[in-house]
């Protein structure tokens, strides 16, 4: 049974044209909120057909939604210690293509904070894995809550989503907080901005390259 959430409301919405380092661009509608339970400044990015002003809408297909946890080093600086920057870039394009929302959640380092994340990196250099390092620092393996994500979606009038995520905990928590996960859509693994174009090109000409060994075979 879903928990009853404190109601959040849209505080502001504003258009922001996005352009990424590889030249990809997309129109976004950026939303801020009042009433989020943790008091953090989380954002929602409406993309594709959801880049328009939110108003009363009828029943529509479930929008593609990705909750993305902030990762300063990966999102902004392209850190190769994680795939957050590549995941973010992929998510924006896929959501822009099908219509939906990217929820940018200010829960750095699986919720432990930026400095603690760097401390955990230092422990990883000493041989611990990422989860062991968090535990060694007195944190749980993953401290992220998606309660605010559910609050944001409900404020946006979205109670059914197609969830762009490989993390079963996100689906589990969203359901618990009253959001229907109508479908789960996997993200690519280890896709990076450096290889995105390469992979897209390869897929685009895949039939041709396959023809070569077959006809030669
Ligand atoms: Zn990261």
């Amino acid at each position: 049974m879903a928990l009853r959430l404190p109601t959040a409301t849209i505080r502001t919405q504003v258009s922001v044209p996005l352009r990424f380092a590889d030249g990809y661009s997309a129109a976004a509608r950026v939303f801020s909120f009042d009433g989020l339970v943790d008091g953090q400044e989380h954002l929602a990015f409406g993309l594709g057909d959801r880049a328009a002003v939110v108003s009363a809408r009828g029943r529509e297909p479930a929008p593609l939604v990705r909750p993305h946890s902030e990762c300063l080093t990966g999102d902004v600086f392209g850190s190769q210690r994680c795939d957050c920057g590549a995941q973010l870039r992929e998510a924006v394009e896929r959501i822009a293509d099908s219509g939906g929302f990217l929820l940018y959640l200010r829960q750095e380092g699986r919720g432990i904070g930026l400095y603690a994340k760097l401390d955990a990196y230092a422990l990883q250099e000493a041989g611990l894995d990422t989860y062991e390092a968090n535990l060694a620092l007195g944190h749980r393996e993953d401290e992220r809550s998606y309660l605010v994500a559910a609050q944001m979606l409900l404020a946006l009038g979205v109670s059914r989503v197609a969830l762009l995520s490989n993390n079963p905990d996100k689906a589990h928590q969203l359901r618990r907080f009253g959001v229907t996960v109508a479908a789960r859509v996997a993200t690519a693994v280890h896709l990076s901005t450096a290889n995105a174009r390469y992979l897209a090109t390869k897929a685009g000409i895949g039939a041709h390259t396959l023809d070569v060994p077959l006809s030669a075979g």
Side-chain angles (χ1 to χ4, degrees):
M1 183 170 157
L3 301 172
R4 189 157 190 86
L5 300 189
T7 302
T9 54
I10 294 172
R11 174 180 170 275
T12 56
Q13 50 176 307
V14 63
S15 292
V16 179
L18 307 179
R19 179 185 286 274
F20 288 78
D22 63 356
Y24 173 76
S25 61
R29 190 86 179 154
V30 178
F31 299 87
S32 63
F33 299 89
D34 283 318
L36 299 177
V37 293
D38 63 4
Q40 299 285 317
E41 296 184 329
H42 307 289
L43 297 176
F45 288 70
L47 297 160
D49 66 5
R50 300 303 180 111
V53 176
V54 162
S55 54
R57 302 168 75 121
R59 189 168 172 84
E60 296 172 284
L64 188 61
V65 168
R66 178 166 178 80
H68 180 92
S69 298
E70 176 176 33
C71 174
L72 181 85
T73 48
D75 296 344
V76 178
F77 294 98
S79 164
Q80 299 295 297
R81 274 189 175 267
C82 58
D83 61 355
C84 301
Q87 292 273 2
L88 178 64
R89 166 68 180 79
E90 177 201 353
V92 168
E93 184 166 353
R94 291 180 68 174
I95 296 169
D97 286 348
S98 47
F101 296 95
L102 183 124
L103 307 179
Y104 195 76
L105 305 174
R106 316 297 300 280
Q107 38 192 19
E108 177 72 55
R110 294 201 192 90
I112 69 174
L114 179 58
Y115 275 20
K117 180 178 81 171
L118 297 175
D119 292 344
Y121 284 170
L123 287 174
Q124 289 170 47
E125 289 180 357
L128 301 188
D129 72 28
T130 176
Y131 294 107
E132 292 169 340
N134 280 14
L135 294 174
L137 290 167
H139 295 286
R140 285 174 283 136
E141 291 179 352
D142 188 336
E143 300 195 352
R144 290 176 294 181
S145 164
Y146 299 100
L147 197 162
V148 290
Q151 281 190 293
M152 293 160 78
L153 289 169
L154 297 177
L156 291 163
V158 173
S159 58
R160 287 175 78 244
V161 302
L163 185 64
L164 179 61
S165 173
N166 298 332
N167 181 348
D169 188 43
K170 289 182 183 175
H172 175 77
Q173 286 202 33
L174 286 178
R175 286 194 180 104
R176 192 166 147 249
F177 296 136
V179 176
T180 300
V181 179
R184 281 183 56 193
V185 181
T187 64
V189 177
H190 298 306
L191 179 70
S192 75
T193 48
N195 68 20
R197 187 156 298 173
Y198 164 73
L199 291 176
T201 304
K202 195 167 100 164
I205 62 168
H208 295 284
T209 55
L210 275 177
D211 280 347
V212 176
L214 287 175
S215 56

